[in-house]
Amino acid sequence: MSVNVEKRVDPPGESDYATAAWELKERIRSAEGVLRQRRGFFVDAYRRSTAHLLVENDRLVAFASVRRDGYILFLAVNPDHRGRGYAERLVADVAEDHRSVTCHARTTNRQALGFYEHLGFEVIRRIDGYYEDGGDAYYLKLGGESLRERLSGFVGG
């Protein structure tokens, strides 16, 4: 039986999926210790960004919130839905809309860093004490060849 995952978008100013995105982010935070933010910060940033969403049976399974400049504020995939290419698909959607794609990742988040490296992101710089809890971050940028060409190989398009 095939599973249909539907792409949706919450444009800036809309927050149809903000609560579901917060709940997914919090599930990941409690299980993995990453994606720590205060709810007010998260909801405000979500509402100001474009949220690329993947929904299965009306349930949010993955999302990427992106600023106008291509900076990925949040990228999250339900742990039960990982390994299906959803994160790659979301980053490809972002790359399709932006000339440059950037983000931050904790220096200790090996899973995220490995994922971003796999896609061709490069570490631009390290920022000590970047996170509210004092954690350090890398500022990453998708580099090299055309973003569309590079990411089309991951999503089969």
Side-chain angles (χ1 to χ4, degrees):
M1 179 166 112
S2 92
V3 175
N4 290 326
V5 174
E6 182 183 345
K7 285 173 47 172
R8 297 183 186 169
V9 174
D10 259 354
E14 305 243 347
S15 57
D16 292 344
Y17 285 88
T19 298
W22 170 259
E23 290 169 357
L24 174 56
K25 184 204 75 65
E26 282 298 285
R27 177 179 175 204
I28 294 167
R29 183 200 54 76
S30 66
E32 301 173 14
V34 296
L35 299 176
R36 295 181 192 119
Q37 288 95 24
R38 288 172 286 125
R39 185 181 180 112
F41 171 83
F42 176 86
V43 172
D44 184 53
Y46 182 98
R47 286 185 179 141
R48 287 184 287 122
S49 68
T50 297
H52 297 268
L53 311 158
L54 295 178
V55 178
E56 180 181 293
N57 299 323
D58 275 333
R59 186 170 158 240
L60 182 67
V61 296
F63 74 96
S65 293
V66 184
R67 291 189 323 211
R68 283 187 205 123
D69 62 358
Y71 176 83
I72 299 172
L73 292 162
F74 312 109
L75 177 63
V77 177
N78 183 319
D80 299 335
H81 292 76
R82 291 183 181 164
R84 300 180 189 180
Y86 293 169
E88 289 93 342
R89 185 173 171 186
L90 290 168
V91 174
D93 287 346
V94 173
E96 208 169 290
D97 294 343
H98 300 279
R99 291 182 336 129
S100 173
V101 179
T102 58
C103 66
H104 284 93
R106 281 185 182 269
T107 58
T108 57
N109 189 344
R110 294 290 155 219
Q111 185 175 355
L113 293 169
F115 166 77
Y116 288 123
E117 182 181 335
H118 166 71
L119 290 183
F121 279 79
E122 300 168 355
V123 173
I124 302 301
R125 69 182 167 273
R126 179 187 173 111
I127 305 166
D128 293 333
Y130 175 79
Y131 292 103
E132 200 172 289
D133 64 3
D136 302 334
Y138 290 122
Y139 178 69
L140 306 164
K141 182 175 183 178
L142 188 56
E145 62 195 87
S146 159
L147 299 178
R148 285 192 182 111
E149 289 173 17
R150 178 163 188 79
L151 289 170
S152 69
F154 291 115
V155 294

